[in-house]
Amino acid sequence: MKKLILIDDFLPETEHEKMYNLTLEREWISTNDMEEDDPNSGVPGYMSSGNWDDEATQILVDECSKYDPLYEILHTSYKNTIYNKYPSNCPTYFHVDIDPPETGWTILYFQDINDYNFQMGGETQIFSNNSITGILPIPNRLIAFEGSLWHKGTSFNGKRDRYSFALQFSDN
């Protein structure tokens, strides 16, 4: 696996709150990335697409440019901006953001502003070398990982929506 980058307290507090508010203002589209015959398919997740000019994308890009490894990622080929929203207890499924043999990165930001504790669940799970690494969705945390790795965000096990914000880049 390429190096996993993890940075806590990534944005200044005012920018972090702005990211959260921009997320709540989004128009959401119901998405179902699960198998048609899945018995757990009754609770869909939601997504909203942005682009390079999207205000939230630019907030994150501006801060990413201050960190050498992230700066390098920003200078590859931008692919997408995706806002994710999972209602509580929403089933989620492993996927890749970049289809091999293409390579690239996913930068994932957790913009929630509420208190979080690990018992709520909601981790992002990354499958590599026959094991799963779980990254907790601590508010204002940023992670970056190889986008061709199988991964999934999981929902909270309480009554809250779980949000994440993804930027996808290709090396090719």
Side-chain angles (χ1 to χ4, degrees):
M1 173 164 66
K2 278 187 178 177
K3 176 172 59 173
L4 173 71
I5 300 168
L6 187 150
I7 304 171
D8 285 329
D9 300 319
F10 185 69
L11 292 174
E13 188 174 333
T14 56
E15 296 296 302
H16 174 65
E17 288 180 19
K18 187 172 193 173
M19 287 288 287
Y20 181 71
N21 290 331
L22 288 168
T23 299
L24 295 182
E25 294 169 4
R26 300 298 301 180
E27 289 186 28
W28 295 96
I29 299 166
S30 178
T31 182
N32 189 345
D33 62 356
M34 53 196 88
E35 300 296 323
E36 289 181 17
D37 60 351
D38 188 331
N40 296 318
S41 64
V43 181
Y46 298 89
M47 68 166 289
S48 182
S49 294
N51 58 42
W52 187 256
D53 296 328
D54 183 86
E55 184 176 4
T57 299
Q58 286 307 302
I59 289 170
L60 216 57
V61 164
D62 288 348
E63 195 66 25
C64 284
S65 67
K66 298 175 184 176
Y67 295 86
D68 286 338
L70 298 174
Y71 180 83
E72 291 174 26
I73 294 168
L74 296 177
H75 287 84
T76 60
S77 255
Y78 167 79
K79 291 186 67 151
N80 292 310
T81 294
I82 305 290
Y83 296 78
N84 297 297
K85 174 182 173 182
Y86 297 118
S88 63
N89 299 308
C90 175
T92 59
Y93 299 85
F94 282 96
H95 65 278
V96 296
D97 292 338
I98 297 172
D99 292 321
E102 190 175 2
T103 60
W105 287 86
T106 295
I107 296 175
L108 192 62
Y109 179 73
F110 301 108
Q111 66 271 49
D112 204 333
I113 60 172
N114 294 309
D115 292 333
Y116 175 79
N117 92 41
F118 74 96
Q119 293 179 334
M120 295 168 66
E123 71 273 358
T124 294
Q125 297 177 346
I126 302 170
F127 179 75
S128 178
N129 299 323
N130 289 321
S131 63
I132 294 174
T133 300
I135 311 294
L136 298 177
I138 294 172
N140 202 15
R141 171 176 275 179
L142 180 131
I143 62 173
F145 58 91
E146 170 59 47
S148 63
L149 291 174
W150 287 91
H151 64 280
K152 70 176 182 172
T154 63
S155 62
F156 290 137
N157 53 27
K159 297 191 184 292
R160 287 186 25 203
D161 293 336
R162 181 230 191 235
Y163 297 98
S164 65
F165 179 81
L167 301 179
Q168 300 167 347
F169 294 87
S170 170
D171 291 332
N172 307 76

